[in-house]
């Protein structure tokens, strides 16, 4: 029996430690992993917990991220609680198996420490890998700080493993800015955390020999479409309610409130930034500063990136006059993903604000208070004019002459 | 908001020092951040680490800061790194060196007229810990210069931060902190 770890009421943990502690407390049966910067410490901490007697489960060291996710698929199909961690190139190598996991409806938890994709090689944080996963059929939750990385990892098990959901869940955090920044984190005790996550209840376990099942079958034009449609329908209809239910249960336990779409000062906001990751907190701080300058600024941030919270985003932005969608990933020949999703969400609504797109922070480029101020000022001008006063897509924090399109 | 920038070489313990400081400060109910700039850092490469301390939750995630304190824990970096970057009029410098303050400023004129303190963290860590790990002595010097905590309180708090280490190492670190506290000028 694993030993319990004594934790302080307030720990100073970086996002990696927060995620690895959540995995430990969830009493995962199998972690199959191949470490990669900046998520390495998640599995490194986890293996040291195991070596020190704090974990009963299996830790399988494999030869690649493809094998890591394959091991997770096997263990999950066998009937165990399963998790792993990755970033960037490792995430890209897992991509094939990500679709296998979700298609087989295996509730694996993947803690993703977001990092840029090569080339050029870069170990720092942007959202390229998170965006790469957005059509993979996983549920994607996004943490903006270390506390949230801890909280959401615990909640991910309860969301994905529910028998009405049975889908894998990614919990994202920003590489280095969250993963390697030590901050105040309030953990639950081991007993409280495990009681919240709950005992794993297998469904169609391959190791249940009394009831033989198969995973990973072939279906051609006869049934493939029906399987994919059912998965999509569950993502579109069942996940939101379950996420809300788990968020509410978590608030009851800890007092920490989560929403599918987080809103900051949106009651009377006229202009809003929509963003993901740590940028949300920086933007919130700046929104408050802008109010002292007379600009009614707010921030909207999807806590749930997939399934995309279409209705919640529409509602959150139902009163604003101008919106900036901030994408931390190169769209490589398109407008940014957040821009496209937000614009689609608002197009069917009654409110039609001016919407512009900013590309920023690639490869860990700093997103500063001054950048956020500049964006809010441009939004203010857009709101007053009722049309874009800037190009539709602008690059922020880029060296050299200003780059913009449309 | 109190902001601190560390100049160090990878392997000298700036990140551990920054995290240890954050840990101690968090126990007083304050909010903290400790982070660093990494590239594909090799042992010996120049690097920076950072602390933020505030009475409210820290939402700022930009790396940029105007530091209140600059802590230089490798003597060579005074000459090769941009240790005065984004300084304020009130920025205090605590620099590891075997030189006196006057000798140091003569060798690095851009420190002239600034609030500079010197302490030989290298020698102190070699004498007490037995290795050139100048991070904990720098924290001792910071306590003296900033008045953030009394020496006794800080040592007690650091003991629990270091509790996973053998007693011998804890004792050596306590001695290093105390000597730096008493010798920083």
């Amino acid at each position: 029996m694993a030993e319990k770890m004594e934790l302080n009421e307030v720990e100073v943990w970086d996002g990696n430690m927060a995620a690895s502690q959540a995995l430990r407390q969830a009493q995962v049966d199998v972690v199959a992993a191949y470490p990669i910067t900046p998520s390495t410490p998640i599995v490194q901490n986890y293996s040291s917990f195991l070596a020190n007697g704090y974990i009963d489960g299996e830790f399988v060291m494999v030869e690649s991220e493809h094998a890591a996710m394959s091991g997770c698929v096997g263990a999950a199909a066998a009937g165990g609680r399963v998790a792993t961690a990755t970033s960037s190139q490792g995430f890209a190598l897992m991509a094939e198996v990500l679709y296998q996991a979700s298609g087989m409806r295996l509730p694996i938890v993947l803690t993703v420490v977001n990092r840029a994709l090569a080339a050029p090689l870069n170990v720092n944080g942007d959202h390229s890998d998170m965006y790469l996963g957005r059509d993979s059929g996983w549920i994607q939750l996004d943490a903006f700080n270390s506390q949230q990385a801890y909280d959401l990892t615990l909640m991910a098990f309860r969301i994905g493993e529910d028998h009405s959901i049975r889908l894998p869940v990614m919990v994202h955090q920003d590489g280095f800015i969250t993963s390697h920044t030590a901050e105040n984190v309030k953990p639950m005790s081991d007993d409280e955390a495990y009681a919240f996550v709950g005992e794993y209840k297998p469904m169609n376990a391959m190791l249940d020999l009394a009831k033989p099942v198969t995973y990973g079958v072939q279906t051609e034009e006869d049934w493939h479409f029906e399987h994919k449609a059912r998965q999509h329908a569950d993502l579109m209809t069942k996940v939101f309610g379950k996420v809300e239910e788990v968020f509410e249960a978590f608030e009851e336990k800890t007092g920490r409130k989560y929403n599918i779409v987080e809103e900051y000062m949106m009651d009377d906001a006229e202009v809003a930034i929509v963003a993901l990751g740590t940028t949300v907190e920086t933007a919130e701080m700046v929104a408050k500063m802008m109010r002292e300058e007379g600009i009614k600024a707010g921030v909207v941030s999807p806590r749930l990136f997939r399934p995309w919270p279409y209705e919640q985003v529409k509602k959150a932005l139902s009163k604003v006059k101008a919106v900036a969608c901030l994408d931390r990933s190169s769209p490589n020949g398109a407008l940014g993903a957040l821009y496209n999703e937000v614009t689609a969400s608002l197009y069917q609504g009654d409110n039609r604000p001016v919407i512009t797109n900013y590309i920023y922070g690639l490869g860990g480029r700093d997103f500063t208070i001054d950048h956020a101020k500049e964006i809010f000022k441009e939004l203010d001008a857009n709101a007053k004019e009722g049309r874009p006063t800037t190009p539709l897509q602008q690059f922020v924090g880029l060296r050299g002459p200003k780059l913009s399109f449309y | 908001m109190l902001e601190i920038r560390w100049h160090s070489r990878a392997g000298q313990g700036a990140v551990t020092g920054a995290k240890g400081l954050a840990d101690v400060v968090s126990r007083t109910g304050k909010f903290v951040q400790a982070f660093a700039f990494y590239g594909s850092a090799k042992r010996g490469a120049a690097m920076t680490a950072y602390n933020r301390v505030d009475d409210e939750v820290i939402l700022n995630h930009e790396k940029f800061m105007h530091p209140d304190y600059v802590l230089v824990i490798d003597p060579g970096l005074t000459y090769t790194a941009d240790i005065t970057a984004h300084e304020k009029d009130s920025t205090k410098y605590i620099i590891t060196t075997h030189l006196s303050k006057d000798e140091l400023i003569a060798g690095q004129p851009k420190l002239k007229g600034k609030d500079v303190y010197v302490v030989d963290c290298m020698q102190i860590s070699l004498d007490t810990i037995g290795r050139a790990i100048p991070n904990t002595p720098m924290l001792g010097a910071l306590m003296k210069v900033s008045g953030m905590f009394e020496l006794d309180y800080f040592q007690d708090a650091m003991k629990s931060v270091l509790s996973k280490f053998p007693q011998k190492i804890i004792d050596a670190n306590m001695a290093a902190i105390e000597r730096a506290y008493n010798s920083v000028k």
Side-chain angles (χ1 to χ4, degrees):
Chain A
M1 189 65 192
E3 286 188 47
K4 292 197 174 110
M5 195 177 281
E6 290 295 321
L7 300 172
N8 295 316
E9 194 196 333
V10 177
E11 292 282 352
V12 178
W13 284 347
D14 60 25
N16 280 326
M17 179 56 89
S20 52
Q21 288 282 7
L23 296 185
R24 181 186 64 77
Q25 291 184 321
Q27 299 188 17
V28 177
D29 294 306
V30 177
V31 169
Y34 190 82
I36 181 169
T37 304
S39 59
T40 302
I42 295 181
V43 287
Q44 188 181 329
N45 296 335
Y46 190 83
S47 63
S48 108
F49 297 151
L50 182 96
N52 290 326
Y54 292 104
I55 286 168
D56 286 330
E58 297 290 325
F59 180 66
V60 190
M61 284 182 281
V62 291
E63 75 277 18
S64 72
E65 285 86 356
H66 190 281
M69 187 46 68
S70 298
C72 289
V73 164
R81 173 170 286 163
V82 177
T84 187
T86 198
S87 300
S88 181
Q89 309 307 123
F91 187 96
L93 187 55
M94 270 184 192
E96 186 211 346
V97 197
L98 295 178
Y99 283 72
Q100 306 270 13
S102 71
M104 292 186 216
R105 307 296 295 264
L106 297 170
I108 298 159
V109 171
L110 174 59
T111 51
V112 185
V113 178
N114 294 328
R115 165 186 153 184
L117 284 166
L121 186 65
N122 178 299
V123 299
N124 280 289
D126 72 27
H127 295 158
S128 303
D129 44 10
M130 171 158 62
Y131 282 19
L132 177 63
R134 69 186 195 266
D135 283 359
S136 66
W138 287 56
I139 296 166
Q140 290 179 286
L141 294 162
D142 191 29
F144 314 150
N145 58 39
S146 300
Q147 177 76 60
Q148 294 170 4
Y150 171 81
D151 293 348
L152 292 170
T153 303
L154 289 174
M155 287 190 268
F157 289 100
R158 197 156 147 178
I159 294 165
E161 290 173 358
D162 190 282
H163 283 192
S164 68
I165 305 295
R166 292 285 296 177
L167 283 165
V169 186
M170 292 175 199
V171 180
H172 295 272
Q173 58 172 288
D174 281 359
F176 291 103
I177 315 174
T178 302
S179 71
H180 286 64
T181 297
E183 297 179 306
N184 310 53
V185 175
K186 285 186 172 175
M188 288 193 252
S189 72
D190 285 5
D191 287 339
E192 282 173 331
Y194 186 69
F196 175 79
V197 174
E199 200 173 324
Y200 184 67
K201 296 186 185 68
M203 185 178 180
N204 300 330
M206 291 186 87
L207 286 181
D208 181 2
L209 300 177
K211 196 179 145 224
V213 291
T214 187
Y215 278 86
V217 296
Q218 187 168 4
T219 59
E220 293 302 338
E221 79 287 358
D222 50 356
W223 281 110
H224 181 87
F225 197 6
E226 281 70 25
H227 279 288
K228 291 293 186 190
R230 186 170 163 193
Q231 185 180 340
H232 177 72
D234 286 352
L235 279 156
M236 294 293 272
T237 59
K238 292 183 180 167
V239 174
F240 298 110
K242 180 54 63 182
V243 170
E244 264 167 12
E245 183 191 311
V246 173
F247 281 179
E248 275 165 29
F250 190 80
E251 187 191 359
E252 228 166 81
K253 198 98 200 145
T254 65
R256 294 193 287 275
K257 184 170 173 56
Y258 287 84
N259 298 289
I260 285 175
V261 170
E262 303 290 355
E263 297 181 26
Y264 182 76
M265 301 216 283
M266 288 306 294
D267 285 345
D268 63 342
E270 291 179 349
V271 299
I273 280 180
V274 181
L276 293 162
T278 47
T279 305
V280 171
E281 296 201 331
T282 304
E284 287 178 359
M285 192 176 78
V286 176
K288 204 171 171 186
M289 293 175 179
M290 298 318 288
R291 294 210 164 219
E292 283 159 28
E293 292 182 28
I295 296 176
K296 285 189 177 167
V299 181
V300 169
S301 40
R303 177 71 66 196
L304 187 63
F305 184 55
R306 278 297 183 274
W308 175 257
Y310 181 88
E311 292 294 344
Q312 292 85 343
V313 167
K314 186 161 73 175
K315 185 164 167 289
L317 295 168
S318 62
K319 287 181 284 185
V320 291
K321 294 176 181 165
V323 179
C325 298
L326 274 54
D327 283 289
R328 197 168 202 157
S329 173
S330 173
N332 287 324
L335 289 160
L338 268 187
Y339 176 88
N340 288 336
E341 307 288 22
V342 167
T343 305
S345 304
L346 292 178
Y347 192 75
Q348 305 297 338
D350 298 326
N351 186 35
R352 296 286 185 84
V354 182
I355 312 177
T356 45
N357 184 209
Y358 294 83
I359 308 299
Y360 76 100
L362 304 190
R365 179 64 52 86
D366 201 8
F367 181 77
T368 65
I369 291 171
D370 286 346
H371 290 148
K373 278 185 180 170
E374 190 60 32
I375 291 170
F376 275 125
K377 281 179 190 159
E378 291 183 354
L379 286 179
D380 187 47
N382 293 352
K384 284 182 176 133
E385 290 284 323
R387 61 176 182 79
T389 59
T390 63
L392 200 54
Q393 181 179 61
Q394 300 186 78
F395 279 59
V396 177
L398 182 71
R399 285 213 192 101
K402 184 104 185 155
L403 187 66
S404 63
F405 303 95
Y406 302 114
Chain B
M1 175 99 74
L2 177 75
E3 297 183 307
I4 300 172
R5 184 173 69 219
W6 299 65
H7 290 270
S8 161
R9 293 191 183 279
Q12 288 177 332
V15 177
T16 311
K19 284 186 176 173
L21 177 63
D23 207 328
V24 171
V25 174
S26 78
R27 288 159 200 237
T28 62
K30 286 190 189 287
F31 293 90
V32 295
Q33 265 186 4
F35 61 100
F37 273 178
Y38 300 79
S40 293
K42 313 286 181 296
R43 218 173 163 78
M47 58 164 294
T48 47
Y50 301 81
N51 282 110
R52 287 195 174 101
V53 177
D54 206 358
D55 295 326
E56 290 171 35
V57 176
I58 302 169
L59 296 176
N60 187 6
H61 289 283
E62 70 175 356
K63 295 168 186 169
F64 180 84
M65 67 167 61
H66 293 293
D68 297 288
Y69 291 91
V70 171
L71 312 179
V72 184
I73 67 171
D74 182 86
L77 293 175
T78 304
Y79 306 99
T80 59
D82 189 6
I83 61 168
T84 57
H86 313 301
E87 64 174 356
K88 306 193 275 195
D89 290 344
S90 58
T91 301
K92 289 181 163 62
Y93 293 84
I94 309 179
I95 296 177
T96 291
T97 178
H98 67 282
L99 302 171
S100 72
K101 198 189 298 184
D102 291 343
E103 288 168 334
L104 180 82
I105 293 170
Q108 179 46 286
K110 71 176 174 181
L111 289 173
K112 202 171 171 196
K114 304 196 191 303
D115 208 351
V116 176
Y117 300 83
V118 293
V119 56
D120 194 352
C121 296
M122 282 295 174
Q123 194 59 49
I124 291 171
S125 65
L126 282 170
D127 291 348
T128 53
I129 304 166
R131 287 170 60 204
I133 303 291
N135 57 359
T136 39
M138 179 53 82
L139 288 175
L142 175 66
M143 289 309 123
K144 180 65 176 287
V145 172
S146 68
M148 198 181 285
F149 299 115
E150 297 289 332
L151 179 63
D152 291 349
Y153 177 89
F154 183 69
Q155 282 181 311
D156 280 346
M158 278 304 285
K159 275 180 200 160
S160 74
V161 171
L162 297 171
S163 60
K164 64 178 179 181
F165 291 103
Q167 192 59 41
K168 208 175 98 183
I169 292 179
I170 298 175
D171 292 345
N173 275 281
M174 292 309 120
I177 289 168
E178 187 163 349
R179 202 170 124 190
Y181 185 94
N182 289 325
S183 63
V184 63
K185 289 191 189 89

